[in-house]
Amino acid sequence: MTATADTGPISPAANTAPADRLAIEIGGEAETIRVLTTALGQGALPDVYVSGGQLVHLSRVSGPADTATDHAHTTSAALPVRAEPLTAASLAWLLAHHTFTHRMKRNKDTEEFEPVETSPTKAALSAVLSSRYWPDVRPLTGVVTSPVLRPDGSLLQTSGYDTATGLYYAPTTPMPAIPATPTTQEVTDALTFVLDTLLCDFPFVAPADQANHLALLVAPILRPYLGCLTPFGLISATTQSSGKTLLAEIPGYLYGSKNLVWRKGDDSELEKAITSALHSPAPIMLWDNVAEGTVVSSAVLAQLLTSPHWSARMLGSSGAGFTAANNRLWLATGNNIRLGGDMATRTVLVRLDPNDPHPDQRDQTRFGIPHLDTWLKNPANRVTVLRHLLILVMDWINAGAPRSGHTMRQFTSWAGAAGGFLAHHGIDGFLDNLDDMRDTDDENTEWNAFLARWHELHGDRRVTSRILCQTAEIDVVNGQPVDRWEGAFLTDDNGRIPSVKSIGRLLTGHIGRYHGNHVLRSVKDSHANALVYWVETRTDQQQPGPDDTQDDSHQPRLPA
């Protein structure tokens, strides 16, 4: 077969190429660019797809699994295939191995034109790859190693490229077929295994913590079906050796994970880490063992969680950028982790408390699965876990995929589906620990105390930021310092009372936002030519109005 820019469809050539290779005749630089563009668009090379406007090639990688790059106990094994962006060098390699790319040259002895195999110039290859429009090339949305739900509710479980989703299914271990309609006994066995064998020995604080973990555990299976974002998963324990890392590793073993390093208070480094992580195909991104007592508060992370795509400028470049779909599950583990900023309303909390001074000395031989960390390293055991989860998912699908009434910021689609999945299987407690989540929000706790004390001191009286700061000054009574705010007034990072201007900016940023039962209000005082502020308090019997939904809209609302 031969391909040219002008002939259009690929046509036969007269014995100029090996039988198993496509003949591509090239000429000058411009003609070569046209010919190769046409050939690629017509599928001249195997396993070439387009992703985000860029041609990529699915290739296998020789050598042992890449498990040592992220963490000593990483669960991220190498994928059977990888999607690598085509470069001039890799395109030249593919052409040399899969085509007979040649130029016609005159034979000095016979004066006849004969094909001479050649490789296009780097400039021509780079020019071809510069195109961002490849309408006839199959789109690739990702590589998955485990079955996932298609948008129509069917299960993708046949290896290879899937036209309906644009996914390439490359199982790391042979997976038995999952029945489209599981039997009652299969569903019962699956539920018993997950609840009474796999998770039975984790010291969950409450049913909500187990339910939340299960919702996160099936999120990678549901993602293509739902086509939505998933919240941040935080696994927080009271002490070491509680099982938080192992709990996070379960989805890592099932789907593949990449371990990241959390750098406190450095959003620029976090942005670089996220950009680097999204170059990995791993569907689970894990910050494991975040330092004890860390306050997870990051505008960069908060933005990532609510954005379907991540964009960042490539390091060392002036204009080029990197864009990737945010289709991962982001998790973190640590002891007594706190939240700040907008993270509380973007996070699903899983708490562990062994209530044991020496949890590391528990007798694991008496566990439902002794030494679960070792057990999960066996591919056959991972298949067992995944099969049970898939049976539960397919049973939910066959019931009509019922939704619950849970709402959660930009994650309502996920929350409704996950809540419906859990309710269908009789698992209670999903998102019931939202109040405890708010207790981990240091900023919310600080503002709650500040507004409560403000209301005690000033009632409904309207004050300017200058008067408010004056009331924070320490009085001296009978030779003793007296703090009327009892330590509840806002302070900066150095523990000092902010300036009047800084307090004004802080107050403006919280107008109308509820902290507990308190909300800050403000109007412009035309006489003072300044904003005045006051605090309103609603009783437990009062219901929030349309403007009171900053926190309370995220409470689960179950259908009647």
Side-chain angles (χ1 to χ4, degrees), residues 104-125:
M104 300 302 291
K105 291 189 175 181
R106 187 188 299 272
N107 186 311
K108 294 181 180 180
D109 297 328
T110 65
E111 295 298 320
E112 298 289 335
F113 281 92
E114 297 177 350
V116 176
E117 189 171 20
T118 187
S119 181
T121 65
K122 182 179 180 180
L125 295 170

Side-chain angles (χ1 to χ4, degrees), residues 10 23 105 110 118 139 194 254 280 340 349 351 392 466 487-488 506 519:
I10 299 172
K105 291 189 175 181
T110 65
T118 187
V194 171
L254 297 183
S280 164
L349 177 64
R351 301 164 302 167
L392 294 177
R466 179 174 300 279
L506 286 172
V519 62

Side-chain angles (χ1 to χ4, degrees), residues 201 203 237-242 352-364 367:
D201 296 301
T238 56
T239 187
Q240 297 175 349
S241 302
S242 299
L352 299 178
D353 182 3
N355 192 27
D356 187 331
H358 304 290
D360 57 313
Q361 297 179 17
R362 289 174 293 175
D363 184 5
Q364 291 201 22
F367 285 2

Side-chain angles (χ1 to χ4, degrees), residues 321-336:
F322 169 76
T323 300
N326 179 21
N327 54 2
R328 316 302 170 90
L329 177 61
W330 302 86
L331 303 175
T333 73
N335 294 329
N336 299 312

